[in-house]
Structures are given as C-alpha cells and as structure tokens.
C-alpha cells in the first residue's frame, strides 16, 4: 500500500506502484564529470537527436507537455552515458545529474562543456 510515509521514504519506480529506496547521488571525479558531459554533448549533437528535438519544438503543445516530451527524448538518447556513469533513468537520475554538474559547474572546463550541451538543447547557456 502506498502511503504518505512510504512516499517520503521511497520513490515510485513506475512498476505496479512498488517503491524503490532513494538512490545515492553518484560520486564522480572532475575528469568523469567532464567525460560524461562530453558524451552528452556528442549524443545531443547527432543528426537524429537534433531532428527529433526540432520536431518536438515545432509541435503546437503547451510548455508543460513540451518539457515532458523533451525529458523523454533526453532519457532515450542519454540513457547509455547516464547509466555508464551511475545515474538512473528515472525520477532521480536527472536531478542527480544536475546536482553533480552544478557542484563542478564553475570549473572552466566543465562550464564550457555545459554551455555546449545547453546549446545543443537550444537552451540559453548558464
């Protein structure tokens, strides 16, 4: 049974309402953060990703639905690199990724690659 207490102590994993224990944030070295971001940049630069992203952005959907669609697109294309570096492809994965990147984001090499990834996503760097 899913209760308020169980929701506070676990994260739904999407399978029959079963709760999974919160996963710890992966610990990456500076070089691993840079390597992960480089992989994400490469994947995001692919013709297929860019075509799919452009298609999503052209749809006459509201902002919330578009954000959900872009998140799904990222989970499909970024799945392998994220898993390789210890991130889940679930509700915890992206927040953990952002936490790790933010912790290293002011370092010059990291900031530059972050801006490149953001450009590929058609986001304002920063």
């Amino acid at each position: 049974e899913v209760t308020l207490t169980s929701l506070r102590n676990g994260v739904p994993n999407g399978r029959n309402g079963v709760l999974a224990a919160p996963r710890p944030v992966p610990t990456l070295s500076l070089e691993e953060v840079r390597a992960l971001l480089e992989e994400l940049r490469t994947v995001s630069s692919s013709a297929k990703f860019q075509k799919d992203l452009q298609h999503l952005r052209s749809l006459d959907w509201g902002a919330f639905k578009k954000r959900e669609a872009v998140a799904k697109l990222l989970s499909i294309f970024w799945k392998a690199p994220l898993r390789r570096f210890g991130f889940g492809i679930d509700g915890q994965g992206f927040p953990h990724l952002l936490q790790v990147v933010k912790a290293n984001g002011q370092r010059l090499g990291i900031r530059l690659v972050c801006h490149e990834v953001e450009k590929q996503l058609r986001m304002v760097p920063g």
Side-chain angles (χ1 to χ4, degrees):
E1 175 181 338
V2 176
T3 65
L4 183 58
T5 302
S6 66
L7 286 173
R8 281 190 201 123
N9 296 328
V11 177
N13 70 1
R15 288 187 226 125
N16 302 322
V18 176
L19 297 175
R23 203 175 294 146
V25 177
T27 303
L28 302 180
S29 69
L30 182 61
E31 191 50 45
E32 288 171 322
V33 173
R34 184 178 292 117
L36 171 58
L37 288 169
E38 285 289 353
E39 283 193 48
L40 298 179
R41 184 190 60 77
T42 299
V43 169
S44 301
S45 300
S46 73
K48 174 70 172 136
F49 178 87
Q50 288 297 315
K51 180 181 173 188
D52 290 352
L53 181 63
Q54 182 57 41
H55 173 71
L56 285 178
R57 291 186 180 272
S58 72
L59 297 173
D60 189 23
W61 289 351
F64 181 76
K65 190 170 180 179
K66 278 188 182 182
R67 273 193 300 272
E68 283 184 331
V70 170
K72 179 67 174 170
L73 182 69
L74 291 174
S75 72
I76 292 167
F77 278 85
W78 288 6
K79 184 180 204 173
L82 289 177
R83 282 196 172 153
R84 197 169 23 265
F85 284 90
F87 295 91
I89 307 301
D90 55 20
Q92 297 175 57
F94 285 120
H96 286 176
L97 171 65
L98 294 175
Q99 186 176 343
V100 168
V101 170
K102 187 176 181 179
N104 293 281
Q106 294 307 312
R107 296 181 176 183
L108 184 59
I110 301 299
R111 187 172 56 226
L112 181 62
V113 181
C114 284
H115 288 187
E116 289 298 318
V117 172
E118 291 165 335
K119 286 179 193 174
Q120 294 304 321
L121 298 178
R122 310 270 194 275
M123 298 172 73
V124 176

